[in-house]
Amino acid sequence: MKVALIGAGNMAIEYAKVLNDLKIDFSLFGRNDAKAVNFKNYLPDENMFCGGLEKNKARLTDFTHAIIASNVNNLASNCITVIESGVQNILVEKPGIATPEEFKLIKEKSKGISSKIFIAYN
């Protein structure tokens, strides 16, 4: 199992702690270097990819799982990028989408693809 952790905020830090405790290999995909600094204690620099998910989309093909813990405005677009990259198991942090239109778009993009998408609620 190789996990792509998408987002570098507080929720992503909590996921990083759990992944490390479980000894699961993961990499961080963040928008900017400023927040990625918070991950120095959780993974090596070579496992941090900043500059946005679109810029690093080609790297996603190496991952079997993704956890999307970005801000609400980017959850749907990040989910679509991950789906298009062929990641099979996707966990999207709540609320998963910001609008019903985003839900329809994700549903359309996932047709014919074997990805499993889960929405995390605590």
Side-chain angles (χ1 to χ4, degrees), residues 3-21:
V3 177
L5 177 57
I6 299 154
N10 292 334
M11 192 49 128
I13 290 171
E14 295 305 315
Y15 279 113
K17 291 175 185 177
V18 171
L19 291 168
N20 275 334
D21 286 348

Side-chain angles (χ1 to χ4, degrees), residues 6 29-33 49-57 59 78 81:
I6 299 154
F29 289 80
R31 284 184 298 169
N32 60 57
D33 294 328
F49 306 107
C50 294
L53 194 56
E54 274 300 318
K55 175 185 172 188
N56 293 290
K57 185 177 180 176
R59 296 180 194 273
N78 286 340
T81 300

Side-chain angles (χ1 to χ4, degrees), residues 15 25-26 43 49 52 65 72 91 115:
Y15 279 113
D25 185 28
F26 75 99
L43 74 163
F49 306 107
H65 295 70
V72 173
L91 176 67
S115 295

Side-chain angles (χ1 to χ4, degrees), residues 27-47:
S27 293
L28 173 74
F29 289 80
R31 284 184 298 169
N32 60 57
D33 294 328
K35 283 194 173 181
V37 170
N38 296 327
F39 284 82
K40 295 285 184 192
N41 295 329
Y42 303 108
L43 74 163
D45 287 347
E46 63 266 16
N47 286 17

